[in-house]
Amino acid sequence: EDERLLRALKESGRFNNMELCGYVNKLDFQTEKQFAALTILLGDGTVLVAYRGTDYSLVGWKENFNMCFMDDVPAQLDAVAYLIHAAEAFPHMKLRVCGHSKGGNLAVYGAAMCPKEVQERICVVYNHDGPGFRETMLKQEGYQNILPRMKTFLPQFSVVGMLLEQKGERIVIRSNEKGIMQHEPYSWEMIGADFVKQKELTEKSYFLDSTVTRWMDGLTEEQRESFIDTIYEAVAAAPVDHFGEAAVSPKMIISTLQILHAEDEGTKIISSGFRMLFDAARKTADEFANRSGMDEGKEGIET
């Protein structure tokens, strides 16, 4: 849908005069970094800094999972540097910051960790279904300062946007897709210039969030790192494209994991991690089943 969108923007009276600049795209296998950003002159005296989400590169997905055990990943540090550079390039303009998925996380991180003089120029931070942070980030002074200007948009069944922890205003949007495909922003419904809002996330979204949180809390940081690194090493051995990189898809990951040998140490680490995940899901299902006061009209949990 991207080409259709770009053509519509070009023909739109609202968007067609906006200028694009400062495009950056970085992919670094050594540091496990995938980062892309763009600056947009909106024409109203403000500048929008937009961070891209994860692409289909394996290293991009690896960096996402590194957030589970690292306080700062390379793309987050680049997000801060990029925002500072944009502020310096347009010193007399107010700033808006946004991103979708991983880009939403980068938008919040960049706004929270930039110098105070840059932070004071930020009007709003839009996080479109981006993952949160470890608890240490939420306690940062910069995060607390930017909190009143943060808006987090989540589809009614959010998976990515419920990962880890985050605070601030949360706006739930109706999606015409099902399951994890609701993460796709083209599925978010609109009326006029605004999203179609929902009062609350689905019960399944809360179930998944509770399960993943329980699972993560049951793992040490060393176990998280070992589990993620082992899966990465297994998937990285899969066939690559002409850029020398594996194109990530759920089907590709599952098929790769299925051929691992049971006696390998890596297979044992992966199996142990998934057993703990399934155990967390069972405990969460019991908790939801026994919980009193659940709304009768809400969608049930399939276990």
Side-chain angles (χ1 to χ4, degrees):
E1 300 293 332
D2 291 346
E3 185 177 344
R4 286 183 60 201
L5 173 63
L6 290 171
R7 291 186 183 279
L9 291 173
K10 180 182 176 181
E11 297 167 2
S12 165
R14 180 180 181 187
F15 297 103
N16 64 357
N17 289 320
M18 294 182 181
E19 296 183 56
L20 313 180
C21 60
Y23 173 62
V24 172
N25 183 27
K26 300 179 182 179
L27 195 65
D28 190 319
F29 301 102
Q30 295 299 318
T31 61
E32 297 179 345
K33 174 175 68 177
Q34 177 256 318
F35 173 81
L38 179 72
T39 298
I40 305 168
L41 307 182
L42 299 183
D44 63 351
T46 66
V47 173
L48 174 69
V49 173
Y51 297 101
R52 190 173 72 189
T54 312
D55 59 16
Y56 289 104
S57 67
L58 181 58
V59 70
W61 285 94
K62 176 59 162 58
E63 186 178 38
N64 287 353
F65 291 119
N66 287 350
M67 294 179 184
C68 297
F69 59 87
M70 295 175 64
D71 286 330
D72 311 289
V73 297
Q76 290 174 330
L77 302 180
D78 275 17
V80 178
Y82 185 91
L83 183 56
I84 293 172
H85 182 71
E88 292 173 347
F90 304 99
H92 305 298
M93 292 187 178
K94 290 287 189 180
L95 305 168
R96 305 174 190 268
V97 192
C98 77
H100 170 256
S101 192
K102 173 187 175 179
N105 175 279
L106 298 183
V108 174
Y109 188 95
M113 302 303 286
C114 67
K116 189 174 182 181
E117 59 269 22
V118 175
Q119 196 174 68
E120 289 175 346
R121 292 169 53 193
I122 297 174
C123 304
V124 63
V125 180
Y126 296 114
N127 173 10
H128 297 98
D129 205 28
F133 302 89
R134 286 152 57 89
E135 193 67 33
T136 51
M137 177 62 175
L138 306 188
K139 299 176 181 177
Q140 294 284 341
E141 181 181 357
Y143 186 90
Q144 294 295 323
N145 289 342
I146 207 70
L147 202 53
R149 286 166 278 173
M150 282 170 42
K151 295 180 182 293
T152 298
F153 295 85
L154 303 172
Q156 60 216 38
F157 178 72
S158 175
V159 178
V160 178
M162 294 292 282
L163 296 175
L164 301 177
E165 302 293 330
Q166 55 186 319
K167 298 181 180 179
E169 182 182 1
R170 188 170 71 182
I171 301 161
V172 181
I173 303 166
R174 184 190 299 168
S175 167
N176 58 27
E177 281 285 1
K178 295 185 181 298
I180 196 170
M181 289 306 297
Q182 292 190 18
H183 184 60
E184 169 58 67
Y186 286 123
S187 76
W188 297 358
E189 297 186 6
M190 301 188 71
I191 293 181
D194 201 0
F195 290 114
V196 177
K197 309 290 194 349
Q198 297 286 104
K199 288 185 177 180
E200 194 54 90
L201 296 167
T202 65
E203 198 72 20
K204 287 184 179 180
S205 187
Y206 285 118
F207 173 84
L208 187 60
D209 177 52
S210 297
T211 297
V212 173
T213 299
R214 187 190 300 272
W215 179 49
M216 295 288 290
D217 288 346
L219 297 170
T220 65
E221 291 198 359
E222 291 76 15
Q223 287 176 314
R224 296 180 191 182
E225 183 174 4
S226 179
F227 179 76
I228 290 167
D229 285 347
T230 303
I231 290 183
Y232 177 71
E233 290 170 5
V235 177
V240 298
D241 59 21
H242 61 284
F243 294 109
E245 177 70 330
V248 178
S249 71
K251 182 179 180 180
M252 173 265 202
I253 293 175
I254 292 171
S255 62
T256 300
L257 296 180
Q258 285 176 337
I259 64 175
L260 294 177
H261 297 293
E263 66 272 12
D264 289 350
E265 186 62 31
T267 307
K268 295 176 183 177
I269 293 174
I270 295 172
S271 297
S272 175
F274 280 122
R275 278 198 301 271
M276 294 179 71
L277 175 60
F278 296 146
D279 184 58
R282 283 194 295 269
K283 290 179 179 178
T284 303
D286 291 340
E287 179 184 279
F288 271 58
N290 296 328
R291 192 174 65 186
S292 60
M294 287 180 62
D295 296 338
E296 293 182 2
K298 288 188 176 180
E299 194 174 10
I301 305 300
E302 297 176 4
T303 58

